[in-house]
């Protein structure tokens, strides 16, 4: 059942005026294209959705796109959200759910994610709430983390925070958990790096590079491929969320692998542009 907007509030449940004002202001700040009237209706519709969800936890309620906007705004106001859930008789949890057909070739990424998630500290990533296989699907449920995608532009204020994240990862994820299914070498080992150049030694190679090619290949291997740290091989903005000077990792399914600590920094630095 999909919950959509209604012009009336749920029977017997009212959103206090001060809370409604905060929520409509937040919605309009996040989504400037939404006018005041629609923002107010979104708050009402979200109240209805939460009330019905609390009354029957077994009901398969799915919020519409606009209700999802309101729910997101309400969760950000933690005290208001907790008080409203107390009034309707049950705390309505918000989780992130993802799934894949268990027989697909890439299903190993979900198995990898389920295996390594318990080793990730709360300061780095949302908690894994459940993992199960049923009716041919592997389903994962994670703690909901509000936030926005960070910017990797050279002047972005997010760069320092992400840099701190990379350092924290190196400290917190060494040694690499044995549960990780693959290594960085599996992903990048065949990439045409210095080792490939060393093997061919092209005639037009820069003299300095030719003189140091063996050292460069050795450093490349040691810094990126060999190591005992759980690293993230794709620190793309879509794989992170930032809020209040904190960054959380997302989509670490096939991206978390054992390797050298510099691999996370390399995947992050290539995205700065």
């Amino acid at each position: 059942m999909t919950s959509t907007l209604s012009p009336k509030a749920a029977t017997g449940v009212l959103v206090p005026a001060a809370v409604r004002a905060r929520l409509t202001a937040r919605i309009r700040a996040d989504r400037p294209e939404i006018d005041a009237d629609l923002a107010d209706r979104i708050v009402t519709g979200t109240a209805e959705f939460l009330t019905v969800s609390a009354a029957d936890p077994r009901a398969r309620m799915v919020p519409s796109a606009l209700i999802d906007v309101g729910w997101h705004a309400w969760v950000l106001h933690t005290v208001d959200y907790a008080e409203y859930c107390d009034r309707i008789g049950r705390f309505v949890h918000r989780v992130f759910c993802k799934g894949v057909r268990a027989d697909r070739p890439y299903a190993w990424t979900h198995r990898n994610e389920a295996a390594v998630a318990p080793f990730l500290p709360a300061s780095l990533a949302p908690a894994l709430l459940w993992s199960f296989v049923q009716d041919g699907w592997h389903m994962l449920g994670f703690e909901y983390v509000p936030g926005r995608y960070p910017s990797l532009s050279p002047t972005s204020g997010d760069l320092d925070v992400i840099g701190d994240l990379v350092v924290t990862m190196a400290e917190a994820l060494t040694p690499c958990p044995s549960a990780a299914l693959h290594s960085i070498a599996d992903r990048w080992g065949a990439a045409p790096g210095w080792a490939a150049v060393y093997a061919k030694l092209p005639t037009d190679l820069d003299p300095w590079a030719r003189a140091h090619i063996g050292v460069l290949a050795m450093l490349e291997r040691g810094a990126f491929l060999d190591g005992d740290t759980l690293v993230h091989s794709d620190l793309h903005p879509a794989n992170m969320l930032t809020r209040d000077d904190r960054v959380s990792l997302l989509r670490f399914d096939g991206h978390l692998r054992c390797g050298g600590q510099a691999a996370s920094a390399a995947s992050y630095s290539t995205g700065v542009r």
Side-chain angles (χ1 to χ4, degrees), residues 4-196:
T4 56
L5 295 179
S6 168
K8 296 182 179 179
T11 303
V13 178
L14 298 176
V15 180
V19 174
R20 182 178 290 271
R22 283 193 288 271
L23 296 181
T24 54
R26 179 73 196 210
I27 291 170
R28 297 193 68 195
D30 290 344
R31 301 285 295 273
E33 73 277 11
I34 294 178
D35 62 27
D37 178 68
L38 180 55
D40 187 74
R41 291 178 57 208
I42 289 174
V43 173
T44 297
T46 306
E48 294 177 340
F49 170 79
L50 294 173
T51 303
V52 174
S53 298
D56 186 2
R58 296 170 299 177
R60 298 188 176 185
M61 298 290 294
V62 179
S64 66
L66 289 177
I67 297 300
D68 193 60
V69 170
W71 196 6
H72 173 80
W74 215 327
V75 168
L76 295 179
H77 292 76
T78 55
V79 174
D80 291 337
Y81 188 73
E83 289 178 349
Y84 189 80
C85 287
D86 185 63
R87 292 178 60 206
I88 60 180
R90 185 185 299 273
F91 193 92
V92 182
H93 291 276
R94 183 181 174 97
V95 300
F96 173 74
C97 179
K98 61 189 296 186
V100 65
R101 292 280 304 188
D103 59 355
R104 294 293 189 266
Y106 49 82
W108 73 266
T109 62
H110 271 48
R111 295 194 296 272
N112 186 65
E113 193 163 10
V116 300
F119 296 93
L120 302 178
S123 60
L124 293 180
L128 176 67
L129 303 177
W130 37 260
S131 169
F132 64 87
V133 178
Q134 183 173 327
D135 297 329
W137 284 83
H138 189 173
M139 305 299 299
L140 304 177
F142 289 90
E143 169 193 18
Y144 173 73
V145 177
R148 60 174 175 80
Y149 295 136
S151 168
L152 296 188
S153 66
T155 58
S156 169
D158 296 331
L159 296 183
D160 287 343
V161 181
I162 301 174
D164 291 341
L165 170 72
V166 172
V167 173
T168 301
M169 288 174 62
E171 296 172 346
L173 302 180
T174 303
C176 183
S178 59
L181 302 182
H182 291 278
S183 69
I184 281 293
D186 295 332
R187 184 181 182 100
W188 289 353
W194 284 114

